């Protein structure tokens, strides 16, 4: 039998976690986080992790699984999350995958060819040092020379993804774009239903983002960042500090920006990220077994989760 999973995604601050929890309570389901920052321990405020009370109500997976100075790949997420989905199903429960990291969601929906096998830590370190000494543009241009098709998918500051693709080339001697051909093949080992949460009025989403940023700062984002830096000896090159909120807080701690600029930078960067998420997730709406939910069309999370259940029943999706 195929594994079954309900996927609830959407841009940051769209309320997908609340809806997933409400749905999980009604279906006696378990939640798997598909957020690439919530995997880190002690990164709570900036990642808007679920509360202790919510964790007690619904079993959550893939939260607080690694230290903030450890590396973690999409491939590792895919393997671990697929095992968890299968385990949940074997216990006669449904799995709900929720979060806004598109690469994580796609790693469950599609059969990716990751290409490089085991990590080449020595080569990765060499590329990291090249980027530190010469700037991110330097290693970006290395990838551009090898495989322009792949390079154009990324911004020069997406250092980890650039390094990953250079590593693929080193190990396979093939362009990453060639290695990854066929990645859009659907994972035929799962039955899925995907819900995308969004706002018709983009300004309403931005207002929610602005309120969340203010709350994060008031709740102690700067202090949380300082504790992370001290605990793990992190610097601006650390992967966990690349997350929106933490990288700006680190700049504030270094005296590079004011508190007012801190709030502004987090808000504008989060809005830009939300735009990219919305663009990424448009492809999910093309699936027959999908549902696009605009928050303005529903009274609350309860009405949304009820609508999801109704749609699942129409599709004879086993819940």
């Amino acid at each position: 039998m195929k594994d079954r999973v309900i996927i609830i995604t959407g841009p940051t601050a769209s309320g997908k976690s609340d809806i997933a929890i409400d749905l999980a309570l009604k279906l006696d389901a378990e939640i798997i986080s598909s957020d690439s920052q919530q995997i880190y321990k002690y990164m709570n405020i900036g990642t808007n992790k679920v509360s202790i009370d919510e964790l007690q109500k619904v079993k959550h997976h893939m939260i607080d699984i690694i230290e903030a100075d450890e590396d973690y790949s999409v491939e590792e997420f895919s393997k671990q999350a697929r095992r968890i989905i299968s385990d949940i199903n074997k216990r006669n429960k449904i799995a709900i995958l929720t979060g806004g990291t598109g690469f994580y969601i796609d790693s469950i929906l599609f059969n990716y060819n990751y290409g490089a096998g085991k990590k080449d830590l020595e080569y990765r370190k060499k590329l990291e040092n090249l980027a530190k000494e010469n700037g991110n543009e330097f290693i970006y241009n290395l990838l551009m020379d090898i495989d322009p098709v792949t390079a154009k998918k990324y911004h020069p500051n997406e250092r980890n993804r650039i390094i990953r693709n250079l590593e693929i080339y080193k190990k396979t001697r093939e362009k990453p774009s060639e290695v990854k051909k066929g990645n859009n093949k659907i994972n035929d080992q799962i039955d899925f239903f995907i819900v995308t949460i969004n706002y018709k009025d983009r300004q309403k989403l931005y207002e929610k983002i602005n309120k969340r940023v203010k709350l994060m700062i008031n709740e102690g984002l700067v202090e949380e960042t300082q504790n992370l830096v001290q605990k793990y000896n992190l610097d601006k090159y650390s992967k966990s500090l690349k997350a929106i909120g933490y990288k700006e807080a680190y700049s504030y701690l270094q005296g590079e920006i004011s508190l007012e600029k801190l709030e502004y930078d987090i808000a504008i960067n989060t809005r830009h990220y939300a735009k990219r998420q919305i663009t990424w997730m448009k492809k999910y709406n093309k699936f027959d077994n999908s549902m696009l939910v605009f928050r303005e069309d529903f009274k609350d999370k309860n009405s949304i989760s009820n609508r999801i259940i109704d749609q699942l029943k129409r599709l004879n999706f086993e819940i």
Side-chain angles (χ1 to χ4, degrees):
M1 289 182 62
K2 292 183 179 181
D3 289 324
R4 294 164 294 115
V5 60
I6 298 168
I7 301 169
I8 300 179
T9 189
T12 187
S14 59
K16 51 191 175 289
S17 294
D18 288 342
I19 295 166
I21 290 171
D22 195 67
L23 183 64
L25 288 170
K26 290 173 180 175
L27 299 180
D28 189 27
E30 295 183 16
I31 291 175
I32 303 168
S33 169
S34 56
D35 186 303
S36 62
Q37 305 306 322
Q38 292 190 1
I39 60 174
Y40 295 112
K41 297 176 182 177
Y42 308 111
M43 291 175 62
N44 304 322
I45 298 170
T47 65
N48 196 41
K49 278 181 190 168
V50 290
S51 67
I52 294 174
D53 180 56
E54 289 168 325
L55 288 172
Q56 290 174 341
K57 287 180 180 178
V58 177
K59 174 70 174 176
H60 281 68
H61 304 267
M62 303 302 283
I63 292 177
D64 293 339
I65 62 173
I66 64 170
E67 305 294 335
D69 59 350
E70 292 181 320
D71 196 19
Y72 193 77
S73 69
V74 177
E75 183 177 9
E76 289 171 304
F77 171 85
S78 180
K79 289 178 179 178
Q80 198 166 346
R82 289 186 187 206
R83 285 196 299 267
I84 294 169
I85 291 169
S86 182
D87 176 67
I88 292 171
N89 284 186
K90 285 174 182 175
R91 291 187 276 109
N92 296 315
K93 290 191 173 189
I94 190 73
I96 299 176
L97 181 75
T98 188
T101 302
F103 281 113
Y104 277 16
I105 295 169
D106 283 6
S107 77
I108 302 301
L109 286 175
F110 302 102
N111 285 323
Y112 277 131
N113 177 4
Y114 295 96
K118 288 187 177 181
K119 299 173 186 175
D120 187 335
L121 298 179
E122 185 177 344
Y123 184 61
R124 286 189 178 199
K125 188 66 177 177
K126 178 183 177 181
L127 292 172
E128 285 278 0
N129 290 334
L130 283 172
K132 288 179 182 179
E133 293 168 5
N134 304 290
N136 292 333
E137 287 277 357
F138 183 84
I139 62 169
Y140 178 78
N141 288 332
L142 292 178
L143 181 59
M144 181 65 78
D145 290 340
I146 292 166
D147 186 0
V149 172
T150 296
K152 289 175 182 177
K153 293 180 179 179
Y154 304 109
H155 187 280
N157 289 339
E158 292 183 275
R159 184 194 297 183
N160 289 303
R161 287 171 184 155
I162 293 165
I163 287 174
R164 175 63 171 162
N165 281 284
L166 287 169
E167 180 188 21
I168 289 172
Y169 179 75
K170 178 178 180 288
K171 287 200 167 190
T172 65
R173 307 314 299 174
E174 292 184 45
K175 294 179 181 180
S177 57
E178 292 297 320
V179 172
K180 295 177 181 179
K181 276 185 176 177
N183 277 354
N184 286 332
K185 184 179 179 183
I186 293 289
N187 173 14
D188 59 7
Q189 299 302 306
I190 62 168
D191 281 329
F192 66 88
F193 179 75
I194 186 163
V195 182
T196 305
I197 310 296
N198 206 345
Y199 281 81
K200 290 178 181 176
D201 184 352
R202 192 74 62 84
Q203 193 56 41
K204 289 184 178 179
L205 176 64
Y206 294 163
E207 287 170 4
K208 287 196 69 178
I209 288 171
N210 292 340
K211 288 178 181 178
R212 177 180 287 186
V213 172
K214 285 182 181 292
L215 183 63
M216 282 164 46
I217 293 172
N218 290 336
E219 288 184 340
L221 174 64
V222 172
E223 292 78 8
E224 182 173 84
T225 304
Q226 188 171 35
N227 290 336
L228 285 166
V229 170
Q230 292 174 347
K231 180 178 179 62
Y232 296 103
N233 194 29
L234 303 179
D235 59 28
K236 66 178 181 179
Y237 299 108
S238 302
K239 186 175 180 180
S240 55
L241 288 190
K242 296 292 185 182
I244 297 173
Y246 295 98
K247 62 181 179 181
E248 295 86 357
Y250 183 81
S251 293
Y252 171 76
L253 289 168
Q254 297 301 303
E256 297 170 355
I257 58 174
S258 65
L259 188 61
E260 183 179 16
K261 186 71 163 54
L262 166 68
E263 182 177 328
Y264 174 83
D265 284 354
I266 297 175
I268 196 70
N269 289 336
T270 304
R271 292 200 295 271
H272 288 161
Y273 177 55
K275 287 180 183 178
R276 294 195 298 274
Q277 288 176 301
I278 291 168
T279 299
W280 182 289
M281 293 163 189
K282 282 181 179 178
K283 65 176 178 284
Y284 301 146
N285 302 326
K286 298 175 183 178
F287 291 123
D288 291 335
N289 47 341
S290 69
M291 178 179 176
L292 175 61
V293 172
F294 290 111
R295 293 302 302 264
E296 299 99 319
D297 293 344
F298 294 86
K299 185 177 179 181
D300 52 25
K301 62 185 179 184
N302 176 61
S303 60
I304 294 174
S305 61
N306 285 340
R307 177 66 179 275
I308 293 170
I309 292 171
D310 288 343
Q311 186 65 11
L312 290 167
K313 289 177 179 177
R314 287 194 201 99
L315 293 171
N316 294 316
F317 190 93
E318 187 181 348
I319 53 177

